């Protein structure tokens, strides 16, 4: 279920998507502020990690990514120049690594959709369990892409 951007008197637009990932209802909300894009992905009302990705550094990598895409070699690979920095909740190495993977993948989707994007992205992640399965990962990314 996707919803169109909510109209409000504030300079931020919000889009939402909801679906099932890992057997649990998962909510994704993307709020676009003038200086930042905030993405939250929650299950059961959790919000346990925060990551930050600067998007303005991604533009040089778009040409490289386009060449790989035309050869069919990308298959969901994030842009190579994007780096996620954990802000909060990185005390467990495996969760931190998976969180950074989600952050760079979503940031790549944002920059691919809008190559001129220069704002930074903050990702709030609250998954009830951090599964490393391909299906779970793709379900989460699919929900995020519906909201961006």
């Amino acid at each position: 279920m996707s919803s169109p951007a909510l109209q409000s008197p504030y300079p931020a637009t919000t889009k939402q998507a909801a679906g099932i990932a890992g057997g649990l209802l998962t909510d994704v909300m993307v709020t676009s502020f003038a200086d930042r894009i905030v993405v939250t992905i929650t299950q059961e009302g959790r919000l346990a990690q925060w990551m930050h990705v600067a998007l303005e550094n991604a533009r040089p990598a778009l040409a490289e990514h386009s060449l790989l895409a035309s050869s069919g070699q990308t298959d969901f690979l994030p842009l190579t120049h994007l780096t996620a920095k954990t802000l909060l909740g990185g005390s467990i190495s495996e969760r931190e690594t998976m969180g950074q993977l989600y952050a760079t993948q979503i940031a790549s989707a944002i920059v691919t959709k809008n190559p001129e994007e220069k704002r930074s992205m903050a990702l709030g992640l609250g998954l009830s369990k951090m599964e490393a399965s391909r299906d779970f990962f793709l379900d989460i990314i699919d929900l995020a892409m519906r909201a961006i």
Side-chain angles (χ1 to χ4, degrees):
M1 294 180 247
S2 291
S3 65
L6 301 174
Q7 299 302 320
S8 70
Y10 303 103
T13 59
T14 301
K15 289 178 152 183
Q16 294 179 272
I20 302 297
L24 294 172
L25 178 63
T26 306
D27 294 306
V28 177
M29 184 179 300
V30 178
T31 305
S32 297
F33 295 95
D35 64 339
R36 184 174 326 266
I37 300 167
V38 178
V39 179
T40 56
I41 303 174
T42 63
Q43 291 181 323
E44 301 177 328
R46 296 173 188 254
L47 205 51
Q49 286 179 282
W50 283 95
M51 270 73 60
H52 173 267
V53 180
L55 301 180
E56 66 182 321
N57 297 333
R59 292 185 71 214
L62 282 179
E64 171 191 331
H65 194 69
S66 295
L67 290 173
L68 287 173
S70 65
S71 66
Q73 296 178 9
T74 55
D75 293 327
F76 293 112
L77 291 176
L79 296 173
T80 57
H81 288 74
L82 293 175
T83 303
K85 179 180 178 183
T86 302
L87 300 175
L88 295 169
S91 60
I92 300 172
S93 178
E94 294 80 19
R95 288 185 78 86
E96 181 176 25
T97 301
M98 287 300 295
Q100 289 175 348
L101 177 61
Y102 281 110
T104 55
Q105 190 67 51
I106 293 166
S108 293
I110 291 169
V111 172
T112 301
K113 184 176 179 180
N114 180 7
E116 299 301 316
E117 185 61 69
K118 293 184 180 191
R119 296 174 288 179
S120 61
M121 182 200 77
L123 172 66
L125 200 55
L127 303 175
S128 82
K129 54 186 173 189
M130 194 62 80
E131 288 185 35
S133 77
R134 177 182 170 97
D135 290 337
F136 184 75
F137 178 79
L138 292 176
D139 287 346
I140 297 295
I141 296 302
D142 178 59
L143 284 170
M145 290 182 73
R146 284 195 266 154
I148 59 173

